[in-house]
C-alpha cells in the first residue's frame, strides 16, 4: 500500500512502516494536490513520521479529517508547513465524528484564518488528546486562530479533553 491510498480510503487500520516525506505528494506549488480523505478507523504511526504535509485547498484543509465512525491516531509525528484556507489544521474539520490522539507529536508552522494546530473547526464534542505534544509556529493569520482548535461551534464545555498534553508556541511571541 502507498500513502496515496489514504486519499480514497474511508475506513480501516493504517500502520506506517517508515517515515514518509509528503513533499513528494503534496509540496506547496507542486502540480499534485493532496486530497484530504474523510477517514474513520485507526492511524498507527508505529513510531514513524509524516513530514512536509501541505494542503492548499479552500477551507477546512488538513492531512485527514475524522469521519462519522471516529478516528484514532497513535504513536506518530506529523509535521506540516501550512494548510491554507479558513478552519484548517492537521486534521481539518471535525463535523460528525470524533478524534482521539495518543502518544503523538504534531507540528504546524503556519496557521490559517480561524485555523488550529490540531483542528480548524469542530461542530460538536469529541476531541480527546493524551500524552502528546502540539507545536505551533508563528506564520499565517494567527490573530484569528487558536493553538489547539481554530473554531468550535459547540457552546457547551468540554468540546476538547487534554490529558498530559502540551501546546508549545515555537515563535516565542504571544498569539
Amino acid at each position: 500500500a502507498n500513502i496515496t491510498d489514504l486519499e480514497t480510503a474511508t475506513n480501516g487500520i493504517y500502520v506506517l512502516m517508515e517515515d514518509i516525506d509528503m513533499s513528494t505528494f503534496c509540496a506547496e506549488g507542486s502540480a499534485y494536490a493532496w486530497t484530504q480523505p474523510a477517514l474513520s478507523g485507526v492511524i498507527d504511526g508505529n513510531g514513524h513520521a509524516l513530514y512536509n504535509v501541505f494542503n492548499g485547498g479552500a477551507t477546512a484543509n488538513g492531512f485527514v479529517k475524522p469521519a462519522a465512525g471516529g478516528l484514532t491516531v497513535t504513536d506518530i509525528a506529523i509535521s506540516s508547513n501550512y494548510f491554507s484556507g479558513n478552519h484548517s489544521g492537521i486534521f481539518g474539520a471535525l463535523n460528525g465524528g470524533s478524534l482521539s490522539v495518543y502518544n503523538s507529536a504534531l507540528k504546524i508552522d503556519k496557521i490559517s484564518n480561524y485555523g488550529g494546530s490540531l483542528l480548524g473547526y469542530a461542530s460538536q464534542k469529541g476531541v480527546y488528546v493524551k500524552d502528546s505534544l502540539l507545536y505551533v509556529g508563528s506564520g499565517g493569520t494567527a490573530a484569528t486562530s487558536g493553538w489547539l482548535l481554530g473554531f468550535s461551534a459547540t457552546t457547551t464545555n468540554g468540546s476538547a479533553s487534554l490529558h498530559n498534553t502540551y501546546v508549545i508556541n515555537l515563535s516565542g511571541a504571544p498569539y
Side-chain angles (χ1 to χ4, degrees):
N2 188 307
I3 190 71
T4 56
D5 292 341
L6 278 179
E7 289 181 302
T8 57
T10 57
N11 187 351
I13 298 173
Y14 304 91
V15 180
L16 266 65
M17 300 309 291
E18 62 186 0
D19 293 350
I20 299 173
D21 180 355
M22 294 292 290
S23 65
T24 305
F25 308 103
C26 58
E28 189 168 3
S30 74
Y32 181 83
W34 178 255
T35 302
Q36 170 188 298
L39 186 67
S40 63
V42 176
I43 296 176
D44 181 348
N46 196 26
H48 294 288
L50 294 173
Y51 53 98
N52 294 321
V53 180
F54 172 79
N55 187 325
T59 189
N61 295 310
F63 169 61
V64 297
K65 63 182 172 183
L71 180 63
T72 299
V73 178
T74 66
D75 302 309
I76 194 168
I78 299 176
S79 177
S80 167
N81 296 335
Y82 183 49
F83 295 113
S84 65
N86 290 345
H87 307 297
S88 296
I90 289 176
F91 296 104
L94 178 66
N95 193 9
S98 63
L99 174 65
S100 298
V101 178
Y102 301 95
N103 195 36
S104 294
L106 309 172
K107 176 182 174 275
I108 189 166
D109 292 331
K110 295 190 318 188
I111 298 175
S112 65
N113 199 27
Y114 301 107
S117 62
L118 190 64
L119 284 163
Y121 176 83
S123 64
Q124 78 285 325
K125 293 182 181 184
V127 179
Y128 181 82
V129 184
K130 183 174 181 185
D131 299 328
S132 296
L133 296 172
L134 304 172
Y135 300 93
V136 182
S138 61
T141 53
T144 57
S145 302
W147 284 14
L148 175 67
L149 176 63
F151 180 80
S152 178
T154 179
T155 58
T156 58
N157 291 330
S159 58
S161 178
L162 304 175
H163 300 274
N164 197 32
T165 294
Y166 301 91
V167 180
I168 300 166
N169 177 358
L170 295 176
S171 71
Y175 283 122

